């Protein structure tokens, strides 16, 4: 997060303090549900959306969904 003493900086694509783009979780979940591995999901996101998402982030998203399902 860049420092801005006046508080005038407003990011356009990602809101302040937002960690991931909105909608990425749904895309990752749908691709993983189709049986793609984390590497394949990472490659698809880079190819289609131009987004650089790490395998760890993809794994974290899918693990969170699995935890919610077991509850």
């Amino acid at each position: 997060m860049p420092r801005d003493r006046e508080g005038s900086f407003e990011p356009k694509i990602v809101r302040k303090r937002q960690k991931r783009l909105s909608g990425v979780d749904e895309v990752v979940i749908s691709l993983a549900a189709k049986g793609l591995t984390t590497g394949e999901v990472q490659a698809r996101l880079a190819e289609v959306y131009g987004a650089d998402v790490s395998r760890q982030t993809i794994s974290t998203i899918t693990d969170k969904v699995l935890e919610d399902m077991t509850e």
Side-chain angles (χ1 to χ4, degrees):
M1 164 92 45
R3 293 183 181 241
D4 184 9
R5 294 183 190 268
E6 297 173 7
S8 62
F9 177 76
E10 185 63 38
K12 300 298 179 193
I13 297 175
V14 181
R15 294 185 312 271
K16 289 183 178 182
R17 295 170 193 73
Q18 182 181 0
K19 292 183 180 180
R20 290 192 294 262
L21 295 172
S22 59
V24 172
D25 291 0
E26 291 81 14
V27 172
V28 169
I29 292 166
S30 69
L31 291 173
K34 292 178 182 177
L36 275 69
T37 65
T38 56
E40 293 169 336
V41 171
Q42 181 184 29
R44 180 67 57 98
L45 289 172
E47 176 185 333
V48 175
Y49 298 103
D52 184 27
V53 181
S54 69
R55 288 184 178 187
Q56 181 60 42
T57 301
I58 294 167
S59 181
T60 302
I61 293 169
T62 55
D63 289 346
K64 185 175 184 285
V65 170
L66 291 175
E67 289 174 8
D68 292 343
M69 289 175 57
T70 56
E71 289 178 2

